[in-house]
Amino acid sequence: MNIILIGYMGSGKSTIGKKLSEQLNFDFVDLDDYIQEKEGLTIPEIFKTKGEIYFRKKENTYLKEVLELNNVVVSLGGGTPCYGSNMEAILNAKDAHSIYLKLSIPNLVQRLSSEKSQRPLIAHLETDEDLTEFIGKHLFERSFYYRQSNQTLLTDGKSVEAITEEIIAGLF
Ligand code: S3P
């Protein structure tokens, strides 16, 4: 079985994915890290030198590769489910359980405010107000895809341990 973590930037996909994989004794794949390794460039470098369309094409190729693995926890990028046939591929993947980690906008803003430089889509936003407005619109568009996940988990105010336990309890 594979577990696929879905959610907006800053929703904790990587941190929770890592912890979950340790608890389940599964391998862990962070799709952004996988792309960076394969391409030999960081995500901001890929966006800057090759553009977003190139990134989305590679993201689709490497997503399909990781969906072929077994007994892995996969943390996707925030945009992964929202492009091309990616969500369909996630939902049709054999033995895969997809989980949307849903965090409220104020909490996303708080997390992303200090981390935006590494994220090309929000790096240009100067104030928390700009960030709030951007995330509000962006999340509204993306929720259409996120909501198709097999499970939605509300994560506001919960620790990484609590979220991990909740996921495991729902699996067995
Ligand atoms: C993106 C999210 C990022 C990364 C890229 C694009 C997005 O991943 O894939 O910067 O479109 O939301 P994280 O969600 O891990 O930040």
Side-chain angles (χ1 to χ4, degrees):
M1 173 190 213
N2 293 335
I3 299 178
I4 319 290
L5 298 181
I6 287 174
Y8 201 72
M9 292 176 264
S11 59
K13 302 179 295 288
S14 304
T15 313
I16 292 162
K18 201 151 185 264
K19 182 90 186 167
L20 189 61
S21 67
E22 286 163 12
Q23 303 269 334
L24 291 170
N25 224 349
F26 278 21
D27 286 330
F28 173 60
V29 178
D30 183 295
L31 186 62
D32 283 339
D33 290 346
Y34 191 90
I35 296 170
Q36 298 189 123
E37 252 171 57
K38 293 273 183 177
E39 294 291 304
L41 293 168
T42 66
I43 303 283
E45 282 166 354
I46 299 174
F47 270 73
K48 192 159 175 247
T49 60
K50 307 203 167 180
E52 183 173 355
I53 294 174
Y54 176 89
F55 173 78
R56 295 301 172 194
K57 277 192 190 149
K58 292 294 166 186
E59 185 179 45
N60 172 270
T61 304
Y62 296 131
L63 168 70
K64 287 182 178 154
E65 264 181 43
V66 302
L67 289 177
E68 294 294 323
L69 302 170
N70 280 317
N71 291 339
V72 284
V73 176
V74 183
S75 296
L76 300 181
T80 315
C82 316
Y83 289 87
S85 56
N86 292 354
M87 195 62 203
E88 216 180 309
I90 294 162
L91 292 172
N92 290 331
K94 203 162 79 50
D95 272 342
H97 183 71
S98 51
I99 305 173
Y100 169 27
L101 301 177
K102 188 174 178 186
L103 189 64
S104 69
I105 294 174
N107 280 331
L108 287 172
V109 171
Q110 199 189 15
R111 292 235 189 117
L112 291 170
S113 184
S114 58
E115 294 174 14
K116 34 180 206 213
S117 64
Q118 284 313 301
R119 292 177 159 102
L121 296 180
I122 54 172
H124 64 287
L125 300 169
E126 281 174 13
T127 65
D128 281 2
E129 245 177 29
D130 294 341
L131 199 54
T132 305
E133 198 190 327
F134 180 89
I135 295 174
K137 288 185 187 153
H138 207 200
L139 194 55
F140 180 75
E141 292 163 10
R142 287 185 164 188
S143 295
F144 171 78
Y145 299 95
Y146 294 163
R147 278 199 309 259
Q148 297 175 38
S149 306
N150 299 131
Q151 182 185 353
T152 295
L153 212 131
L154 303 177
T155 61
D156 288 287
K158 295 177 187 168
S159 66
V160 173
E161 287 73 21
I163 296 165
T164 310
E165 273 174 30
E166 202 176 327
I167 293 175
I168 294 174
L171 292 176
F172 304 106

